[in-house]
Amino acid sequence: MKVQIIGGSGTGKSTLAKYISEKENIKWIDTDYYLWKDDSFLENHPIDKRIEMYNRDIISNDSYIASGSVFMWLPEGFSNRDLLVFLSLDEEIRMKRLRKREFERNSRMWLDENKEYTNNFLEWCKTYWEEKDKNMAGTYSEQAYQMKISNSPVLKLDATKPLDELYAEIRRSVRKEKC
């Protein structure tokens, strides 16, 4: 099984990938690991280091579940996957999850014009559906383009479903494609 999960920040990509990794006993590749030097999410790895880390994971794992994307810095990344999964989630639920996560990380926050707590990351997350440039990483435009050009089948899932149901749908799709 070689599956990549994409979707907006806060849709549950990492949670689902970790769940599948444990069920299947396969490598979970969290693409944030390639991008960020540590949990502070303040400093990026240089692109050559990201590519080195990615290549090491791909070469050493016959199966994997990847959460996130490498498309903007390695467009051919995960080209050996069996399935590309797109997770979507109601925007209000997604932003609520993200605010909670930012509070838990003790991120610096302020009140926006709607009296909601925000920060630079959350302001960027608000542009997920609005941004129309497919070259803007982490946006629906960029991910829609990935789905359009994908060599592997694409499965679109509603992230409000329970993890076991999402996992079952992914398993069915991967089995179907391998037949």
Side-chain angles (χ1 to χ4, degrees), residues 27 39 54 66 89 95 153:
K27 170 77 172 174
D39 299 15
Y54 166 85
L89 185 64
M95 292 307 295

Side-chain angles (χ1 to χ4, degrees), residues 77-162:
F78 300 115
S79 59
N80 68 339
R81 68 181 171 236
D82 301 316
L83 183 67
L84 177 61
V85 176
F86 174 74
L87 273 187
S88 64
L89 185 64
D90 173 81
E91 192 64 1
E92 191 174 320
I93 296 169
R94 184 176 83 92
M95 292 307 295
K96 185 177 179 180
R97 281 184 183 180
L98 289 167
R99 273 189 200 87
K100 181 179 186 271
R101 187 169 76 187
E102 288 300 291
F103 271 115
E104 289 169 356
R105 289 180 176 168
N106 293 318
S107 298
R108 198 167 140 211
M109 308 277 281
W110 62 86
L111 289 174
D112 68 11
E113 65 278 356
N114 299 319
K115 306 283 189 238
E116 301 233 38
Y117 281 98
T118 192
N119 61 19
N120 291 334
F121 172 69
L122 292 171
E123 289 300 305
W124 172 78
C125 288
K126 290 178 186 177
T127 69
Y128 178 75
W129 293 103
E130 299 162 3
E131 178 59 58
K132 300 301 178 210
D133 184 353
K134 70 180 184 204
N135 296 310
M136 294 300 289
T139 64
Y140 178 72
S141 277
E142 180 238 352
Q143 293 170 356
Y145 181 68
Q146 284 185 60
M147 289 185 278
K148 180 180 176 182
I149 65 168
S150 178
N151 290 329
S152 65
V154 175
L155 177 63
K156 296 180 180 181
L157 295 175
D158 177 352
T160 60
K161 290 182 178 180

Side-chain angles (χ1 to χ4, degrees), residues 13 23 25 36 48-49 70 91 114 128-129 134 144 153-154 158 166 168 170:
K13 300 179 301 292
K23 291 287 186 188
N25 195 28
W36 302 105
D48 58 336
K49 175 71 174 170
V70 298
E91 192 64 1
N114 299 319
Y128 178 75
W129 293 103
K134 70 180 184 204
V154 175
D158 177 352
L166 295 170
I170 291 168

Side-chain angles (χ1 to χ4, degrees), residues 19 30 37 47 64 70 76 86 121 127-128 148 161 167 171:
Y19 180 85
D30 182 355
K37 286 191 174 183
I47 291 176
Y64 62 79
V70 298
E76 68 276 12
F86 174 74
F121 172 69
T127 69
Y128 178 75
K148 180 180 176 182
K161 290 182 178 180
Y167 170 54
R171 289 279 304 150

Side-chain angles (χ1 to χ4, degrees), residues 16-31:
L16 179 58
K18 182 179 179 196
Y19 180 85
I20 293 171
S21 169
E22 291 169 357
K23 291 287 186 188
E24 294 284 326
N25 195 28
I26 60 175
K27 170 77 172 174
W28 167 29
I29 299 173
D30 182 355
T31 62

